[in-house]
Amino acid sequence: MVTKYFKKLKKSKKGFTLVEAMCAIMIMAIVFVGILNAVAFSRQMVYTNNSREKASDRAQLVADEMISIATGFDPGETLDPTVTENLKVAIEDVLNYSGVDGVGGDPQYTIIGGVEYCVGDFVDASDFDPETHSDIQYKLEPVGTTTDDVTEGTPHKAVTQRGWQITVRVYYQSIGGNNRYTAEELVAFAPTNYIN
């Protein structure tokens, strides 16, 4: 009985039809394209997450350095407008020029790169242009009590200084969407050495 079955099976010349073969190839192609898309998406996510992590590390490094510089800037009882300008210059001297041509010699500054003081609003991430903007921007805002000061006959606002709010924004590139830029932002507080 078994021999008869094998003889019958051997005589059968039936195979795949062209339609069946085409269907099998199409199904395999769809599965293969799906796997490729998943791998590409996974690569984009890994690259973007790595970029975000590096940007966050750079922002923390810059903020730490700024805090150490800012705590030494004591404006006294009321904030002298030149103190903000002097602090900005001191920050940029350390972050932009230390480690260049052997000055400073601290290797961490090669990780930081150049910093740019932001007068108004930060550059929107969608408008960021690495040709014209530094990828690290920062703001300095005095934190304290604002009072009306009428000394010397001219009324004006005086700030009793408590410290500095430091906002650091690092722009980084993410894959996908025409390699757009995204920003990682960090806000820190640096107390002044002198507090009333």
Side-chain angles (χ1 to χ4, degrees), residues 63-75 87 91 140 161-164 166 189-195:
D64 288 346
E65 196 63 54
M66 287 182 181
I67 289 168
S68 68
I69 298 166
T71 51
F73 270 74
D74 174 19
L87 176 54
I91 285 170
L140 296 170
Q161 182 81 359
R162 294 287 179 259
W164 301 93
I166 297 167
F189 177 74
T192 54
N193 283 337
Y194 172 82
I195 295 179

Side-chain angles (χ1 to χ4, degrees), residues 44 48 174-180:
Q44 287 179 2
T48 301
S174 55
I175 292 181
N178 298 327
N179 290 334
R180 67 186 184 280

Side-chain angles (χ1 to χ4, degrees), residues 54-139:
K54 283 179 187 172
S56 182
D57 289 346
R58 289 174 77 201
Q60 185 66 59
L61 193 59
V62 170
D64 288 346
E65 196 63 54
M66 287 182 181
I67 289 168
S68 68
I69 298 166
T71 51
F73 270 74
D74 174 19
E77 198 165 307
T78 57
L79 180 67
D80 183 341
T82 59
V83 174
T84 305
E85 185 61 32
N86 291 340
L87 176 54
K88 180 189 87 144
V89 169
I91 285 170
E92 290 182 352
D93 277 349
V94 171
L95 297 182
N96 287 335
Y97 305 114
S98 289
V100 176
D101 297 328
V103 179
D106 194 333
Q108 73 176 349
Y109 297 112
T110 58
I111 299 169
I112 291 173
V115 299
E116 179 183 351
Y117 179 68
C118 196
V119 180
D121 292 329
F122 285 115
V123 176
D124 190 79
S126 59
D127 297 329
F128 179 78
D129 180 6
E131 297 294 321
T132 55
H133 304 114
S134 174
D135 63 341
I136 300 179
Q137 298 174 12
Y138 71 95
K139 283 184 188 179

